[in-house]
Every structure is written in C-alpha cells, then in structure tokens.
Amino acid sequence: MKTAEVDLLIVPGWENSGPDHWQSRWERRLKTARRVEQADWARPVKDQWVARLASEVATSTRPVVLIAHSLGATAVAHAATAMNGDRIAGAFLVAAPDLDALDIWPSRQGGFAPVPLAPLPFPALLVASADDPYCTPARARSFASAWGATLIEAGPAGHINAASGHGPWPEGLMQLGWFLKRL
C-alpha cells in the first residue's frame, strides 16, 4: 500500500503531540493524514478516546492505517474491538507505555489501565525504545507478542518524541513505508 491509498489516522497520546513532534510533522507532510482530536488531552478518559477513535475509523473513506504514539497506542489496543476491523489495514504503534507499572500518569485514573493484552484484529507494528522511561524492553516485547505485532527495537531512543530528539524522525518514516509495503 501507498500513503495515497489509505487514510492515515494520527493518534497522539497524553497531552497531544506538539508542532515539533514527528506525528505533527507527518500530519503536515502526508496528504492523507489527519489527527484524531480528543476533547481533553490533559485528562484522558478511555471510553471517550475509544469512541472518538472508532468514530474516525467509521467515517474514513479508504482503508485506515493508525499511527499511534504512547497513550494513543494503548487507546488503539482498547479500541480494537470497538472499531470495524475490516476498515483497518494496520496499526503503526510507537512507544506504548506500561500503564500497569506507572502510577504517575493521569491516564491511569482515566481507565486505560490495565493495558489490553488481546491480539489485535489487524496487522500491527510496535516500535519500542531500549531506554523508554515509560516502558521496559521486556514489557514492550510482551505487548508485541500479545497483540500479534511485529516488534522493531529502536535502540536507546527515549520516549521517541520531540523531547528525545525525534522531531523529524526519518527512520520512523522509513519504518512506516516498510510497514505499508507489507499490508
């Protein structure tokens, strides 16, 4: 598949992705990309995020590829059964947090924990960092295994966001292209 053949739904995590974040840059650069907007980025509520994501998938006119970062990846895992899986070509998941081990995230109070461990009903790729402060490599491997996702280990890359130096993130765009070719 090519980006012109799919609706790319950008699914940011807690507090949204700022203008320098790779998701925002990709949204500006890729013509078929659009952001799944949430009512409250600072106080996420799982059921609201899942409903909004499912609604965006339902209104898409082409096959959907989800591009999710952090809590957005967890939202995709929660929404997998609420979305029409036939419309989803795949999910490109980045830096999924281990909410079961993190007491500091407000998303714990929003119903996102525990992290779902059911297989995703569509192809998925999970990019994980060796030194992500929100998820150990072992836990990322367990997410990938449970979800049936291909795991890409990105080495020491922090939380793979603008703060960790991943504004443009050309390597990620190459991984997205690789993933799309296999769909």
Side-chain angles (χ1 to χ4, degrees):
M1 297 188 127
K2 297 178 181 177
T3 60
E5 301 169 340
V6 296
D7 284 335
L8 300 169
L9 295 186
I10 306 290
V11 187
W14 176 51
E15 295 191 333
N16 203 350
S17 294
D20 293 330
H21 193 284
W22 60 267
Q23 282 187 312
S24 299
R25 291 170 184 247
W26 292 8
E27 181 183 7
R28 290 189 300 264
R29 182 176 176 188
L30 301 169
K31 292 180 183 178
T32 63
R34 73 180 187 275
R35 183 176 305 249
V36 175
E37 293 290 346
Q38 297 294 345
D40 192 341
W41 292 106
R43 290 177 299 282
V45 176
K46 179 196 68 152
D47 291 343
Q48 293 171 0
W49 280 38
V50 164
R52 182 70 180 129
L53 181 53
S55 173
E56 285 293 324
V57 168
T59 61
S60 295
T61 58
R62 293 174 285 226
V64 171
V65 173
L66 303 167
I67 301 175
H69 178 259
S70 193
L71 188 61
T74 308
V76 167
H78 277 291
T81 58
M83 297 184 289
N84 181 346
D86 295 341
R87 298 194 74 143
I88 301 172
F92 185 83
L93 310 171
V94 179
D98 184 2
L99 299 177
D100 302 328
L102 297 172
D103 292 329
I104 60 170
W105 279 42
S107 54
R108 265 187 86 71
Q109 288 76 41
F112 285 87
V115 175
L117 297 176
L120 298 176
F122 39 78
L125 182 142
L126 174 62
V127 180
S129 168
D131 62 353
D132 188 331
Y134 305 112
C135 187
T136 66
R139 187 67 165 154
R141 284 190 293 276
S142 73
F143 289 156
S145 177
W147 295 338
T150 299
L151 178 66
I152 301 291
E153 296 184 15
H159 195 49
I160 313 178
N161 57 9
S164 65
H166 295 85
W169 197 34
E171 300 87 358
L173 200 53
M174 289 173 47
Q175 292 292 348
L176 176 63
W178 175 85
F179 180 61
L180 289 173
K181 280 185 179 184
R182 279 145 186 83
L183 295 178

